[in-house]
């Protein structure tokens, strides 16, 4: 199965700062990658799919990029509600797999 | 607005069968794919498997021999059975709509299942 490695494990930033999260695949997943946000005590929610497409209702400050094996989720200016754990997920091959997550915490 | 709700026992004994139900409201189970995902404590998310409303299923090879996923369109429910559970099956279990068999766009709140004697 395809292994997704996310870095860093933890990102300590202040509100208003730019967040850059990385997801690397063990083999090419083309553009078949999604990003999810999970806040404490909540279920994950879909942010980005097919590498760069924002899901319904997702603010423009969230953007995704990349293809092949290297992907990035960028939050242009962190809002208080953005501090959460972020997961990437590939759908290129079965089974779909998730990265280990990046926690974005308040500095 | 579609909502999903998982239900089932919170405690299962080792070697027994874990059984969960996911009830879909605010939308139809027909026409969609549905998935089960779990998150063990301190670990990442793992896809258990999916089912299409017609009954077609697929499971993660790591769990395949122990997993049964079914759907009841008359009740707007899907179900998960995981046999011969061990402590490592302790996790929060989520059901989610598996949009076009690609990504999970609507999630239940999750239910915690602990495997312990």
């Amino acid at each position: 199965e395809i292994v997704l490695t996310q870095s860093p494990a933890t990102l300590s930033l202040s509100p208003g700062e730019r967040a850059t999260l990385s997801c690397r695949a063990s083999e090419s997943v083309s553009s078949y990658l999604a990003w999810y946000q999970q806040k404490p005590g909540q279920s994950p929610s879909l942010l980005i799919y097919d590498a760069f497409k924002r899901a319904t209702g997702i603010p423009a400050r969230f953007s995704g990029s990349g293809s092949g094996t290297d992907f990035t989720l960028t939050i242009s200016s962190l809002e208080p509600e953005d501090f959460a754990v972020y997961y990437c997920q590939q759908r290129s091959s079965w089974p779909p797999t998730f990265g280990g997550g990046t926690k974005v915490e308040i500095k | 607005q579609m909502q999903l709700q998982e239900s089932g026992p919170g405690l299962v004994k080792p070697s027994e069968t874990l059984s969960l139900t996911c009830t879909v409201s605010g939308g139809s189970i027909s026409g969609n794919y549905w998935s089960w995902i779990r998150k063990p404590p301190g670990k990442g998310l793992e896809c258990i498997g999916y089912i299409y409303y017609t009954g077609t299923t697929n499971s993660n090879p790591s769990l395949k021999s122990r997993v049964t996923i079914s759907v009841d369109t008359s009740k707007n429910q899907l179900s998960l059975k995981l046999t011969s559970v061990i402590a490592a099956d302790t996790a929060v279990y989520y059901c989610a709509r598996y949009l076009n068999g690609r990504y999970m766009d609507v999630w239940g709140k999750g239910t915690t299942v602990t495997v312990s004697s």
Side-chain angles (χ1 to χ4, degrees):
Chain A
E1 67 178 39
I2 294 175
V3 176
L4 299 179
T5 302
Q6 291 187 242
S7 61
T10 304
L11 199 51
S12 298
L13 295 168
S14 300
E17 289 193 295
R18 182 183 188 90
T20 303
L21 288 66
S22 173
C23 177
R24 176 164 290 178
S26 60
E27 61 186 85
S28 176
V29 298
S30 185
S31 294
Y32 302 139
L33 189 106
W35 292 91
Y36 298 82
Q37 176 192 67
Q38 185 172 30
K39 298 178 183 180
Q42 297 185 18
S43 52
S45 61
L46 181 65
L47 291 175
I48 301 285
Y49 64 97
D50 288 348
F52 65 90
K53 300 173 182 177
R54 277 190 298 276
T56 304
I58 301 303
R61 64 180 182 273
F62 291 92
S63 63
S65 63
S67 66
T69 60
D70 290 298
F71 298 86
T72 301
L73 174 69
T74 301
I75 311 171
S76 59
S77 178
L78 283 163
E79 296 288 338
E81 62 268 27
D82 299 338
F83 292 90
V85 179
Y86 294 84
Y87 296 97
C88 55
Q89 175 239 323
Q90 65 80 22
R91 70 164 181 96
S92 176
S93 68
W94 184 263
T97 50
F98 294 84
T102 290
K103 181 180 182 180
V104 179
E105 65 176 23
I106 300 175
K107 187 174 181 180
Chain B
Q1 182 180 356
M2 181 176 287
Q3 293 186 323
L4 284 63
Q5 180 66 60
E6 304 88 349
S7 59
L11 181 65
V12 182
K13 290 183 169 56
S15 79
E16 295 189 345
T17 296
L18 179 161
S19 296
L20 297 176
T21 298
C22 174
T23 302
V24 179
S25 59
S28 177
I29 207 163
S30 296
N32 288 295
Y33 289 85
W34 304 91
S35 62
W36 286 97
I37 300 106
R38 68 181 183 179
K39 187 180 183 309
K43 296 188 175 182
L45 296 159
E46 178 183 34
C47 180
I48 298 168
Y50 75 82
I51 187 164
Y52 191 45
Y53 78 102
T54 57
T56 300
T57 64
N58 199 0
S59 303
N60 192 316
S62 67
L63 300 167
K64 198 157 194 166
S65 62
R66 299 196 291 134
V67 169
T68 301
I69 300 175
S70 59
V71 66
D72 187 335
T73 54
S74 67
K75 294 182 179 179
N76 239 26
Q77 291 179 335
L78 61 150
S79 298
L80 169 70
K81 291 190 187 300
L82 181 65
T83 61
S84 304
V85 297
I86 60 175
D89 293 315
T90 294
V92 178
Y93 285 76
Y94 299 97
C95 59
R97 185 171 69 174
Y98 190 28
L99 187 62
N100 296 323
R102 297 177 181 181
Y103 304 114
M104 295 75 175
D105 71 326
V106 182
W107 294 65
K109 293 185 178 181
T111 187
T112 299
V113 178
T114 301
V115 178
S116 175
S117 55

